[in-house]
Amino acid sequence: MTDPSDAHPPAHLSRDDIRRLRDRALADDHPADWFDPLYVAANGQSDQIPWALEGAHPALKSWIAERSLADIFHLPKAKALVVGCGLGDDAEAIAQLGFQVTAFDVSPCAIGWCQERFETSRVNYCTADLFHLDAAWSGRFDLVFECRTLQALPLSVREQAIDAVVAPVAPGGRLVVVTHTRPTEDAPEGPPWPLSPAELDRFTQHHALTLTWEREFASLEMPPRRCLEFVRVGAS
Ligand SMILES: C[S@@+](CC[C@H](N)C(=O)[O-])C[C@H]1O[C@@H](n2cnc3c(N)ncnc32)[C@H](O)[C@@H]1O
């Protein structure tokens, strides 16, 4: 965002304030720039964060309940990366399974909040931008988990965002994506911007990942949410 006053907006943003911040960031072609001001303005109150659940996402809970994780991953050695971790609940749930977890978010405020909430956590929380990830992370993680971050980024950066979540998956590793999906290629009104069939195909066709598991969850206001697990075929 170009206006420095946006770095410290007043606490208790109204929905309109949030929309304005977001629309300005999108118009400026900096689609991630409204997240940190939102976390700052929430001033430690998670009910001010529209997506905060105060617990692991139900789709992650289903994945944990339904997959034989001990057969798929070498726990407790397996390494997991949580993309756009927000307030950290999913990262904590994955760490409790025995993964060595790194969790990142573009918002320094969100990361500080995670570190305060989970003071004794084993999770390595860090500030990082999905579009500029450390090259050392490439192909290094046995599990990459992304929940609702792809759909929060506009279609103009969709391919780049998909490529960026795939890059850290190790050979033999899994990628788990939780996202709304849409039935056609027509551009949706967002955010969120559900993933289209062609965008989902990018995982399997462009990146040669194999879909290993999926669940669909009905949604009243939105197209269905899906939890998709892919494997990057290759020796681990
Ligand atoms: C809709 S929220 C979802 C948060 C969390 N995954 C959840 O499900 O509760 C999207 C998150 O992605 C983060 N984010 C957006 N753009 C990002 C980027 N380029 N790199 C890293 N994180 C990003 C935001 O700060 C925000 O925490």
Side-chain angles (χ1 to χ4, degrees), residues 7 94 111 113-114 178 180 194 225 230:
I94 292 169
I111 291 304
W113 196 337
C114 292
V178 178
H180 287 290
R225 172 171 283 134
F230 302 93

Side-chain angles (χ1 to χ4, degrees), residues 88-138:
D89 297 275
D90 293 336
E92 292 298 320
I94 292 169
Q96 277 170 20
L97 297 170
F99 286 91
Q100 297 174 26
V101 180
T102 298
F104 73 93
D105 200 286
V106 74
S107 162
C109 178
I111 291 304
W113 196 337
C114 292
Q115 288 163 337
E116 273 176 30
R117 281 186 80 201
F118 305 109
E119 234 180 334
T120 57
S121 176
R122 293 187 300 115
V123 175
N124 170 29
Y125 287 106
C126 51
T127 304
D129 183 346
L130 177 62
F131 299 114
H132 300 98
L133 292 184
D134 188 336
W137 286 3
S138 189

Side-chain angles (χ1 to χ4, degrees), residues 46 49-58 87 89-90 117 147-148:
S46 57
I49 304 295
W51 47 85
L53 294 176
E54 294 273 356
H57 192 281
L87 296 187
D89 297 275
D90 293 336
R117 281 186 80 201
C147 182
R148 304 186 289 175

